[in-house]
Amino acid sequence: MPTGFRVLHRKRKASAEQIAAYRDLPVANISDSMQRMSAGGASLRPMHAGGQMAGTALTVRCRPGDNLMMHYALNIAEPGDVIVVDAGGDLTNAITGELMLAYAAKKQLAGVVINGAVRDIRSIRANPLPVYAAGVTHRGPYKDGPGEINVTIAIDGMVIEPGDLMVGDEDGLLCVPLAEVERIYSLASERHASEIVKLQAIADGHNNRDWVLKKLQALGCELPE
């Protein structure tokens, strides 16, 4: 099977229960629980009407400006999948638009991530299907290949394996490795609960900020007498 132009089987995937659990967690809390060392890149922004994304990665690597392999990914995608396309971050040609995304929504996909450009932004902004992309252009794609489906991809250093858990909200998106899903969920849930308590303390006027001065003193910061 030729490297660079192939479709592989996805051998594992996050469960429906794992996906549902992550829908209630802010991506920032998940990111903090992963040591803030993983991210989809600041250029990948939410383009849709708003709301959480959580689903199983169906990975696509395609030639910049060409969406043939994404079309096939749409054919084989399952409900709850997030199609994650690495198109090299190129913004010359859109990889997807209104028609393909309407089909993705009809198939009950959990979202679409494009490391590249999209078009028909008015339609995308008006719909709840989570769509993350690096930019917008009116120029359409080509359909000649090559490309790969269900291979390991990387976006700005964030490695994504087929079947990993993809999460996203207004702050951006994140990949949680499948082997780490349970552990990260436990840490992120604790962090989220802690923040709720802190927010209530702020609302009640009981927020203690003494740690800031102690931190400055420990770091040797010069302070006024």
Side-chain angles (χ1 to χ4, degrees):
M1 184 176 294
T3 298
F5 203 8
R6 58 184 178 172
V7 177
L8 304 180
H9 288 293
R10 184 173 55 185
K11 298 179 180 179
R12 31 63 118 201
K13 60 185 293 186
S15 69
E17 292 75 20
Q18 290 171 327
I19 293 169
Y22 270 81
R23 287 198 187 101
D24 295 327
L25 292 176
V27 170
N29 291 152
I30 302 169
S31 178
D32 286 350
S33 301
M34 297 174 68
Q35 305 298 325
R36 304 168 182 143
M37 290 293 290
S38 183
S43 63
L44 288 178
R45 305 309 307 154
M47 302 287 182
H48 54 290
Q52 301 282 112
M53 178 182 77
T56 305
L58 174 58
T59 61
V60 182
R61 179 185 291 124
C62 64
R63 181 168 63 89
D66 191 291
N67 73 352
L68 177 62
M69 298 309 281
M70 182 181 172
H71 271 284
Y72 191 67
L74 272 174
N75 285 3
I76 64 175
E78 301 171 353
D81 280 349
V82 175
I83 295 180
V84 187
V85 181
D86 180 13
D90 183 78
L91 304 180
T92 307
N93 299 82
I95 298 300
T96 192
E98 182 176 13
L99 292 176
M100 295 176 73
L101 294 173
Y103 184 58
K106 184 67 175 178
K107 292 195 72 172
Q108 299 182 323
L109 301 194
V112 173
V113 176
I114 307 291
N115 185 24
V118 296
R119 66 177 181 176
D120 303 320
I121 189 64
R122 181 182 298 176
S123 171
I124 294 172
R125 286 175 177 160
N127 283 285
L129 175 71
V131 176
Y132 292 80
V136 179
T137 180
H138 57 78
R139 296 178 63 175
Y142 300 99
K143 296 174 174 59
D144 303 307
E148 298 176 296
I149 294 177
N150 283 327
V151 296
T152 302
I153 62 175
I155 300 175
D156 283 352
M158 181 176 70
V159 177
I160 305 165
E161 301 272 3
D164 282 347
L165 179 61
M166 299 298 300
V167 293
D169 61 17
E170 287 79 3
D171 285 340
L173 60 92
L174 188 63
C175 174
V176 182
L178 185 57
E180 296 287 299
V181 165
E182 298 294 340
R183 185 181 71 85
I184 297 300
Y185 176 75
S186 177
L187 293 173
S189 295
E190 290 179 8
R191 183 174 290 271
H192 185 44
S194 174
E195 287 197 355
I196 291 174
V197 171
K198 291 176 181 177
L199 285 170
Q200 186 60 54
I202 292 171
D204 294 340
H206 302 313
N207 190 34
N208 189 323
R209 304 286 298 168
D210 291 347
W211 70 268
V212 181
L213 178 58
K214 292 177 181 177
K215 182 72 172 183
L216 291 174
Q217 292 171 331
L219 292 172
C221 177
E222 183 178 343
L223 297 164
E225 296 293 336

